[in-house]
Amino acid sequence: MIYRSILLFVAVLCIAACQTEKKEINLPKTDLASAPLIPKPIKTIPTGSAFGLDAGTAIYTTTTDPEFEKVGQFLSDQIKSKIGLALAVNNPSEATLERLIYINQSDSVELESPEAYQLYIKKDSILLNAKTAAGAFRGVQTLRQLIPEKSNDTLTDRPMWVIPSGKIIDAPKFGYRGSMLDVARHFFTVEEVKKYIDALAYYKFNTLHLHLSDDQGWRIEIKSWPKLTEVGGASEVGGGEGGFYTQEQYKDIVAYAADRHITIVPEIDMPGHTNAASLSYPFLHYAGAETPRVRTDMKVGYSSFDAQKDTVYSFLDDVIGEIADMSPGPYFHIGGDESHVTKKSDYILFVEKVEKIVQKHNKRMIGWNEIAQADIDASSIAHFWNEPENAVKAAENGSKIIMSPAKKTYLDMKYDSISEYGLTWAGYIPVDVAYQWDPATYVEGLPTESILGIEAPLWSETISNSTELEYLAFPRVIGYAELGWSPSEHLNWDDYKKRLAAQVPYLEAMQINYYPTKLVDWKKE
Ligand code: ACM
């Protein structure tokens, strides 16, 4: 740590020394407050000048936490892929060093949330302060969004990318900001999931919920029960070949997400939505449910595990245990929705028994709002999608609530009558409707303190690859990023839609297939 501090001191001295020889660059006037940042930060104070990002810039990070160096390297990699500039990270031999980006661990009282950050952009230095590497990572996304695509080649004898100067103070409104991907109705490859994670990270999401099992397919290798994937993994909606993640592939997704400070929430949906599991192991099947067979249709509510059998719980102990061991995050999602053929008493018994198994494996249970019918622990979380009364009941019981109202956040709903993909059972969700609601007040009687955050689920009955996934997710998911992060008083459709229009260069560079709604005046080249 001392060694690094000395290096930094030398680097700063070097910059100071270089200044005396360097001729003054006439950087253009800027306005940090008009930068099209999404999510909009809490506070932005422009100072009108600029930081010239060029080959004379180096990145340094604190050494009090090795995760900070990874964040510095991530920034360097992203700058390289965006504008082709290779910036050294923590390399004191940098001879041409003129400007510095310093990513610093700070315990400032202003940084109350672990994801808070402060960004100070001056002529010759950028200082990014954060309490944790997660906070630094969120601040790095702001910096990425501030770097223009094009350099100004008239300022010096080499290209310079002009970043507006000023100060940004920022922190998230909610600690849980997620999206969900249904990899069960259609299977998505590891590369497709990673591409979605990359875009979520850019907009400061911190959670990806993976819906890993449903009637049409089981998508995660369980070593102690191999038929789940051998039999249950070989089908999907529409009759395609399905697929599944090996445990190595799942761990790869988890690690890729963790490098972007995103937590994976695994979901095994039960006791309903379990046809693929019961087809693999018929002892799981509940007498009141439809006989298991390969299902490629889109019906729901006909399958169930047998809540009365001890062997079902031994099976679930193995399944939950193997998945929990590979999932460093705090949560395990048990689904619990639409168990229409399960007797209510069996459903309640099942949820209460499975909650204990989840807790035994050191995870907090999440379940769709139906789980509030059971006597769940206050540490368990209800995931609101369609029953306000169950969300309120769970909150009264002390549980936290994740907000995914189907009418506002279901990414699989069509935008409008001309949408190519998607369903309509919760209505059309145009881009402005998706943005103009407040998670804190949407359910009457739900106290704000009980809201853990917001999640935008993407069910995959009508989509089967990245192009189709992106068509439904973008641009709506970008708005949910802002609803989850920015203070309510900053949420303004007219202001937001201008910033959204300015996302085109990023979406195009990342080859993201967004829906070009006419509600937004897209900034095309
Ligand atoms: C759900 O949409 N069945 C949670």
Side-chain angles (χ1 to χ4, degrees):
M1 186 177 153
I2 289 176
Y3 173 69
R4 179 63 55 75
S5 303
I6 292 169
L7 288 182
L8 185 70
F9 183 63
V10 170
V12 171
L13 276 186
C14 168
I15 290 175
C18 294
Q19 296 312 303
T20 53
E21 289 163 31
K22 204 174 61 182
K23 61 178 184 312
E24 190 64 25
I25 307 164
N26 280 322
L27 288 158
K29 286 246 174 310
T30 67
D31 180 13
L32 183 63
S34 63
L37 295 171
I38 301 179
K40 197 178 178 84
I42 292 182
K43 205 188 281 178
T44 305
I45 303 152
T47 49
S49 171
F51 176 91
L53 177 68
D54 71 355
T57 308
I59 298 170
Y60 278 82
T61 71
T62 182
T63 53
T64 47
D65 179 346
E67 287 294 313
F68 273 70
E69 181 154 356
K70 277 171 71 178
V71 174
Q73 193 56 55
F74 181 89
L75 175 61
S76 175
D77 294 345
Q78 295 303 322
I79 290 174
K80 179 88 184 359
S81 67
K82 180 168 182 172
I83 58 174
L85 200 61
L87 302 188
V89 181
N90 294 340
N91 180 356
S93 65
E94 198 56 50
T96 56
L97 181 61
E98 288 172 24
R99 274 169 293 278
L100 193 68
I101 300 173
Y102 185 53
I103 304 176
N104 178 47
Q105 200 281 329
S106 158
D107 285 319
S108 157
V109 285
E110 282 182 89
L111 300 169
E112 210 182 304
S113 155
E115 292 180 278
Y117 69 92
Q118 303 160 331
L119 198 52
Y120 298 90
I121 304 167
K122 299 185 180 161
K123 264 185 154 175
D124 294 303
S125 67
I126 294 179
L127 174 63
L128 170 57
N129 273 335
K131 198 189 275 186
T132 69
F137 189 83
R138 305 298 171 228
V140 157
Q141 308 318 309
T142 302
L143 197 46
R144 285 175 70 192
Q145 293 190 12
L146 289 171
I147 299 170
E149 278 70 33
K150 291 208 172 70
S151 59
N152 187 329
D153 296 344
T154 61
L155 295 170
T156 62
D157 51 7
R158 63 189 181 207
M160 181 170 268
W161 287 262
V162 175
I163 299 177
S165 69
K167 180 170 156 183
I168 290 177
I169 308 291
D170 205 6
K173 180 162 66 183
F174 294 120
Y176 185 108
R177 305 176 308 282
S179 183
M180 185 208 82
L181 187 57
D182 170 9
V183 295
R185 267 54 174 274
H186 280 100
F187 181 64
F188 290 82
T189 64
V190 172
E191 288 316 308
E192 287 170 330
V193 175
K194 285 182 176 174
K195 190 180 177 203
Y196 193 42
I197 289 173
D198 279 336
L200 293 177
Y202 187 73
Y203 294 107
K204 300 190 176 72
F205 281 92
N206 64 5
T207 309
L208 176 63
H209 164 192
L210 289 178
H211 181 76
L212 291 165
S213 68
D214 214 303
D215 292 319
Q216 300 88 344
W218 183 283
R219 308 294 178 213
I220 176 83
E221 177 189 25
I222 302 296
K223 303 243 191 228
S224 52
W225 298 91
K227 284 192 192 163
L228 286 170
T229 44
E230 283 166 23
V231 176
S235 50
E236 62 183 9
V237 168
E241 64 184 12
F244 66 90
Y245 307 120
T246 63
Q247 294 208 347
E248 285 315 304
Q249 288 175 321
Y250 177 77
K251 286 186 214 162
D252 182 35
I253 292 173
V254 167
Y256 191 84
D259 283 345
R260 285 147 187 78
H261 294 274
I262 287 180
T263 301
I264 297 293
V265 175
E267 176 188 349
I268 296 298
D269 201 349
M270 52 188 147
H273 291 276
T274 45
N275 171 75
S278 295
L279 180 64
S280 310
Y281 292 105
F283 75 90
L284 298 167
H285 171 66
Y286 181 66
E290 279 186 33
T291 306
R293 60 186 164 88
V294 171
R295 297 294 295 242
T296 59
D297 58 291
M298 297 181 356
K299 288 206 194 84
V300 297
Y302 55 80
S303 57
S304 181
F305 282 159
D306 189 336
Q308 298 284 346
K309 272 194 197 146
D310 288 345
T311 45
V312 170
Y313 299 104
S314 311
F315 163 84
L316 289 174
D317 192 17
D318 293 339
V319 169
I320 293 170
E322 287 195 34
I323 297 174
D325 282 351
M326 299 186 288
S327 308
Y331 308 117
F332 188 95
H333 202 306
I334 68 150
D337 58 321
E338 299 175 315
S339 287
H340 301 324
V341 293
T342 322
K343 270 204 321 216
K344 187 167 176 183
S345 56
D346 282 342
Y347 178 84
I348 288 171
L349 172 75
F350 182 88
V351 169
E352 291 172 6
K353 282 177 99 84
V354 171
E355 181 183 63
K356 300 254 164 358
I357 299 173
V358 170
Q359 289 173 345
K360 177 185 147 193
H361 293 289
N362 299 315
K363 300 294 177 197
R364 277 175 80 178
M365 182 177 81
I366 306 178
W368 297 106
N369 49 216
E370 288 94 325
I371 65 162
Q373 296 170 85
D375 183 17
I376 57 171
D377 194 79
S379 67
S380 294
I381 294 155
H383 192 166
F384 170 68
W385 68 284
N386 71 339
E387 297 169 337
E389 62 286 2
N390 271 332
V392 171
K393 180 168 183 253
E396 281 168 1
N397 181 51
S399 285
K400 294 276 190 232
I401 313 296
I402 297 167
M403 295 296 292
S404 295
K407 289 179 186 157
K408 297 289 182 188
T409 66
Y410 267 31
L411 289 167
D412 60 316
M413 291 302 115
K414 290 186 178 214
Y415 292 92
D416 49 40
S417 62
I418 56 167
S419 288
E420 247 180 278
Y421 305 102
L423 301 170
T424 54
W425 61 262
Y428 293 128
I429 309 185
V431 178
D432 54 347
V433 169
Y435 180 81
Q436 290 179 289
W437 63 285
D438 189 348
T441 57
Y442 185 78
V443 171
E444 219 183 294
L446 201 59
T448 309
E449 316 79 72
S450 68
I451 297 172
L452 189 64
I454 168 174
E455 180 179 298
L458 181 46
W459 302 98
S460 65
E461 285 94 335
T462 66
I463 55 168
S464 61
N465 57 46
S466 276
T467 306
E468 296 163 4
L469 177 169
E470 288 159 9
Y471 176 93
L472 286 176
F474 296 91
R476 288 181 292 199
V477 76
I478 301 174
Y480 303 129
E482 180 145 304
L483 291 186
W485 181 285
S486 306
S488 300
E489 59 270 25
H490 282 357
L491 304 179
N492 176 300
W493 167 250
D494 288 326
D495 174 60
Y496 169 72
K497 76 176 179 188
K498 289 191 204 112
R499 287 179 287 118
L500 181 58
Q503 304 306 305
V504 169
Y506 169 75
L507 296 171
E508 288 187 348
M510 294 297 124
Q511 299 183 313
I512 291 173
N513 178 39
Y514 65 97
Y515 176 66
T517 172
K518 297 222 162 24
L519 296 168
V520 174
D521 184 14
W522 298 103
K523 285 210 172 71
K524 300 227 174 166
E525 288 288 286

